[in-house]
Amino acid sequence: MASPRAVQLSLRKPTHAVCVVGVETLVNVYSDVPKGAKTFGVSGSSEVKIYMVYDPSRVAEPAGWAHWPLDANVDVVVVADTVSKDLYDFKVKVSYFESQEAAALAHSVLYLTAVDVSLDVDTGRTGKVKKGSGDKKTWRWGPGGSGAILLVNCDRDIHGSREDLHANHLKSLEDLQDMSPMVLSCGGPDELFESHKLVLKASLSDSRRLKVFCARGGTSLSNYKQVLGPRHSSYEVERHSGERAIQFYVEGLAFPDASFSGLLSLSVSLVDTRPLSEVSVFTDSVTFRVAPWIMTPNTQPPLELYVCSVTDIHGRNDKFLEDMSHLATKANCKLVVCPRAENRNDRWIQDELEFGYIDAPHKSFPVVFDSPRNRGLRDFALKRILGPDFGYVTREIEFAGASGLDSFGNLDVSPPVRVGNTDYPLGRILIGGSFPKPSGRRMARVVRDFLQAQQVQSPVELYSDWLSVGHVDEFLSFVPTSDQKGFRLLLASPSACLQLFQEKKEEGYGEAEQFDGLKHKAKRSINDILADKHLRRDSAHVQKCIDWNREVLKRELGLSESDIVDIPQLFFLKGAYAEAFFPDMVNMVVLGKYLGIPKPFGPIINGRCCLEEKVRSLLEPLGLRCVFIDDFLFYHQLLGEIHCGTNVRRKPFTFKWWNSVP
């Protein structure tokens, strides 16, 4: 806690000073003491509380009208509890004595003007500003924490080319709802402010990451003036006569990142302008934390399903769109089709963007994270998704192009988990990279740094560089369940597939054929697949890669074997990298209990695909509904599946991120 401001007294003339209501002022009773004085006493106006600060081991509190000794290091602290009506209308008198019985040798008089100067924000996280609510300078995590929250104003309330944060003036009154309110109390005699001024400040670095607008009543945009921001780190407040409080609105301009913790501070100072060099009488400060961008896992209810309309050598993907429409209807989810004119025949909408949200006590809205892959869909998020209460953020890779691992099929998030004694109430982000290989492809540092800096979904890097495309969604997915655990991790499993085929062979179905029903793919019998040494060797290699990830996921997500479901899936190596042998079933879209799963075209036994039947037997007892959808020509043959070709916006968590403890 800062030491109180000290005021020096004089026996020759009264001292005049300014104090702030509720703030301690130290009265130096030792600065001018009459000769022979040994004790002193203090009295004052009823509006001023007087406190004696002393060491009880050195001096006892005087009884009755007795005085305080001057040789015991007793400090006098005064606090005004109301605002002055006139200049210097509060009085504190210090009297000095030679003995307890003698008359006063001399008196020092202090005249005070008490003003109400306070910078207040929503430190209690209730959605409303409350004056004088605790420590405003320190931001604390957790359910008992405190500290104001700032949203990055990254939506677009008025039609234009960029997010609202790029505007140098307020474009709509609706935009104020995206900002955090801040109130400056400035009560006191008007005459005082003829010789004193209020200065609102941010550090140079903080001023580049926020803007402050001053409200002057009325409903016109002209009533709101930007006073702090990237070009203005200081503002002399324009206080009007009789004004006791001034309303401000604060917006964030940047998300937390490698060079930015997310904390921003503002201060207001009461400055005495009379000396040759201006003197700060009092400073009050507040600290904000910029709300992080938060991903939503498959366990959150779906709101919108996005898919692209495309045309290629096989024609239009109308049947796939129809299947997605039926699936969305079952899940009571809105379908959004991105037309070819907007996607430029880029079907991989999962790779292009990731939906998340930002949240503060006063406001929450979705924010789309646009990947740096920048292919046909590069403008879709900015031009078609960005809008009122729908934000946008991106990270660009400087001096180099994006790799395949920078696509957001390589970005996922787990459901909430507990690992040992550590809770992750918003889950943990999962990305793919080259570890444990000594070198290889990784997600770009600029993206990894951004994800890490959000703090509330501590990322885990998995091994995905064994795949040709290299995305985590090729070997894992999460599905919601109705039991106590609430979810299962699905992992692709060559071993489970080979075991299933071996069982079917032993049951006498060795001649049943994989790819049955496909015109464009040569069929292969179960016997042929099991006898293929190259395929079995490749499967063994892939299983080792997935098993390595399995152990990482168990350790980093606190999972047990019972939390994992092995989905039968074969891969083959093309050069050093693996590709799915048949449509990759874990690469599914999850809409509540309805799963849109790539149709595997497995061996038909007793009129049913044995792969589909196996997956149903694993997932439907968990309360899930498996819907197998043909994506072979339009997606699988291009090294992608349903998850790659769709995207889902989901409901935000009800849990508030500021109640977590990263």
Side-chain angles (χ1 to χ4, degrees):
M1 184 176 177
S3 300
R5 179 169 174 260
V7 176
Q8 310 295 324
L9 297 183
S10 171
L11 296 172
R12 295 181 298 277
K13 62 179 180 178
T15 300
H16 296 80
V18 175
C19 68
V20 175
V21 173
V23 176
E24 295 181 348
T25 298
L26 177 65
V27 180
N28 188 346
V29 298
Y30 306 101
S31 55
D32 193 2
V33 179
K35 186 176 180 179
K38 296 180 179 178
T39 63
F40 71 95
V42 187
S43 61
S45 304
S46 61
E47 298 87 352
V48 179
K49 299 288 189 297
I50 300 172
Y51 301 96
M52 313 305 289
V53 182
Y54 59 95
D55 182 356
S57 65
R58 296 189 58 187
V59 61
E61 182 176 352
W65 295 98
H67 311 133
W68 291 89
L70 279 166
D71 60 356
N73 291 328
V74 178
D75 288 332
V76 178
V77 174
V78 298
V79 180
D81 58 11
T82 188
V83 176
S84 291
K85 296 179 180 178
D86 300 298
L87 283 177
Y88 308 117
D89 56 353
F90 298 162
K91 179 181 177 180
V92 176
K93 184 173 75 171
V94 179
S95 302
Y96 296 93
F97 305 89
E98 185 176 5
S99 66
Q100 295 287 356
E101 297 79 15
L105 295 174
H107 305 280
S108 293
V109 178
L110 169 63
Y111 289 103
L112 291 170
T113 303
V115 295
D116 181 16
V117 176
S118 178
L119 197 59
D120 292 290
V121 291
D122 179 20
T123 55
R125 302 166 183 168
T126 63
K128 296 182 179 180
V129 175
K130 185 177 180 181
K131 183 173 168 57
S133 51
D135 183 0
K136 299 177 286 188
K137 297 170 66 174
T138 305
W139 205 97
R140 295 182 176 88
W141 293 92
S146 62
I149 293 164
L150 205 59
L151 294 177
V152 176
N153 195 5
C154 58
D155 69 339
R156 183 175 62 197
D157 289 314
I158 297 295
H159 183 71
S161 60
R162 300 298 301 275
E163 309 94 293
D164 290 338
L165 61 87
H166 293 290
N168 54 18
H169 61 276
L170 193 68
K171 287 190 172 183
S172 73
L173 294 179
E174 289 76 14
D175 204 23
L176 295 173
Q177 298 174 18
D178 301 336
M179 303 184 192
S180 297
M182 181 173 70
V183 177
L184 170 60
S185 299
C186 55
D190 290 339
E191 294 87 346
L192 179 82
F193 292 97
E194 294 173 3
S195 59
H196 292 71
K197 65 181 180 181
L198 292 164
V199 179
L200 188 66
K201 293 183 68 174
S203 68
L204 189 60
S205 60
D206 284 3
S207 69
R208 295 175 180 145
R209 297 182 173 116
L210 58 74
K211 288 180 186 174
V212 179
F213 292 84
C214 180
R216 284 301 184 184
T219 57
S220 170
L221 291 176
S222 61
N223 295 126
Y224 298 88
K225 173 186 175 184
Q226 183 190 329
V227 295
L228 289 183
R231 298 179 183 177
H232 307 281
S233 61
S234 179
Y235 166 63
E236 184 176 331
V237 178
E238 299 172 7
R239 179 188 180 275
H240 296 168
S241 178
E243 202 164 29
R244 301 181 68 86
I246 302 173
Q247 180 76 51
F248 293 89
Y249 292 91
V250 189
E251 69 176 2
L253 305 183
F255 282 95
D257 217 321
S259 59
F260 174 39
S261 70
L263 293 176
L264 295 169
S265 295
L266 291 170
S267 67
V268 65
S269 295
L270 178 66
V271 178
D272 188 345
T273 60
R274 291 171 299 180
L276 292 176
S277 178
E278 295 180 343
V279 175
S280 176
V281 175
F282 172 74
T283 297
D284 198 19
S285 301
V286 296
T287 297
F288 293 91
R289 182 177 290 279
V290 175
W293 179 78
I294 300 172
M295 286 181 66
T296 50
N298 286 350
T299 48
Q300 290 300 110
L303 296 174
E304 294 179 319
L305 172 64
Y306 286 74
V307 64
C308 293
S309 174
V310 295
T311 303
D312 60 21
I313 59 172
H314 302 294
R316 295 160 55 100
N317 67 335
D318 291 345
K319 180 60 171 64
F320 183 78
L321 298 181
E322 182 181 331
D323 291 339
M324 289 297 106
S325 178
H326 290 157
L327 187 67
T329 300
K330 287 176 181 289
N332 194 27
C333 174
K334 179 183 177 182
L335 179 69
V336 179
V337 178
C338 173
R340 183 180 177 186
E342 295 175 3
N343 65 50
R344 291 178 286 187
N345 229 35
D346 180 2
R347 68 202 70 197
W348 309 117
I349 195 166
Q350 177 61 51
D351 287 343
E352 183 60 38
L353 52 92
E354 185 68 53
F355 289 108
Y357 69 96
I358 56 176
D359 189 20
H362 64 280
K363 185 70 178 285
S364 175
F365 57 80
V367 175
V368 60
F369 186 10
D370 195 1
S371 82
R373 73 187 280 267
N374 293 338
R375 298 185 190 174
L377 280 159
R378 63 180 299 167
D379 297 325
F380 179 68
L382 189 61
K383 291 185 177 180
R384 300 296 296 174
I385 297 178
L386 173 64
D389 290 341
F390 210 129
Y392 173 90
V393 64
T394 190
R395 286 294 180 270
E396 295 293 340
I397 303 171
E398 296 182 1
F399 314 120
S403 78
L405 272 65
D406 297 317
S407 297
F408 285 172
N410 195 35
L411 172 62
D412 208 333
V413 64
S414 79
V417 292
R418 181 176 179 84
V419 185
N421 294 322
T422 303
D423 286 317
Y424 297 94
L426 301 171
R428 300 191 70 177
I429 285 173
L430 306 175
I431 61 174
S434 58
F435 190 81
K437 293 197 303 186
S439 63
R441 298 171 295 172
R442 291 186 76 186
M443 182 175 279
R445 176 172 291 279
V446 67
V447 179
R448 287 185 281 123
D449 285 348
F450 173 82
L451 297 172
Q452 185 72 47
Q454 308 313 302
Q455 295 194 67
V456 295
Q457 294 179 303
S458 179
V460 177
E461 189 165 5
L462 300 173
Y463 176 36
S464 66
D465 194 30
W466 55 274
L467 288 150
S468 289
V469 176
H471 295 176
V472 294
D473 68 354
E474 297 178 76
F475 65 89
L476 69 81
S477 184
F478 294 93
V479 294
T481 60
S482 55
D483 57 9
Q484 186 175 0
K485 183 66 179 181
F487 72 90
R488 293 292 188 277
L489 167 64
L490 309 186
L491 288 178
S493 175
S495 295
C497 189
L498 291 173
Q499 180 181 343
L500 175 64
F501 283 179
Q502 183 64 37
E503 291 171 358
K504 296 307 174 185
K505 175 183 178 180
E506 292 173 1
E507 293 170 8
Y509 301 109
E511 293 305 315
E513 295 176 318
Q514 179 67 40
F515 306 119
D516 195 1
L518 277 175
K519 299 178 182 178
H520 308 279
K521 184 72 174 177
K523 300 176 180 60
R524 294 190 65 180
S525 70
I526 289 177
N527 288 335
D528 182 38
I529 290 172
L530 292 174
D532 188 333
K533 294 181 181 179
H534 295 292
L535 186 58
R536 294 184 74 99
R537 180 197 61 201
D538 294 351
S539 295
H541 167 75
V542 168
Q543 190 64 59
K544 287 182 180 179
C545 296
I546 294 174
D547 286 346
W548 191 91
N549 286 301
R550 186 190 201 94
E551 294 308 310
V552 173
L553 289 161
K554 286 166 63 177
R555 181 177 67 249
E556 298 296 335
L557 301 184
L559 303 180
S560 64
E561 280 297 323
S562 62
D563 302 322
I564 302 173
V565 178
D566 291 306
I567 301 298
Q569 184 65 49
L570 291 181
F571 295 84
F572 68 96
L573 292 182
K574 193 170 184 179
Y577 297 99
E579 298 175 6
F581 180 66
F582 54 78
D584 188 352
M585 290 187 286
V586 297
N587 196 289
M588 64 180 70
V589 63
V590 179
L591 302 179
K593 67 179 181 180
Y594 293 97
L595 312 180
I597 305 174
K599 186 174 180 63
F601 293 97
I604 303 298
I605 296 174
N606 296 325
R608 294 179 179 273
C609 170
C610 67
L611 288 170
E612 291 184 18
E613 288 300 292
K614 180 62 176 178
V615 171
R616 289 185 196 277
S617 72
L618 293 169
L619 301 182
E620 294 196 345
L622 299 173
L624 301 166
R625 296 292 178 266
C626 300
V627 180
F628 292 92
I629 296 170
D630 181 2
D631 74 344
F632 195 89
L633 294 180
F634 286 94
Y635 297 90
H636 172 73
Q637 289 200 144
L638 300 176
L639 303 186
E641 308 287 358
I642 292 177
H643 186 260
C644 308
T646 58
N647 213 311
V648 183
R649 182 170 75 87
R650 302 180 184 277
K651 284 186 179 181
F653 286 101
T654 56
F655 180 87
K656 300 303 181 183
W657 61 267
W658 51 87
N659 288 327
S660 65
V661 182

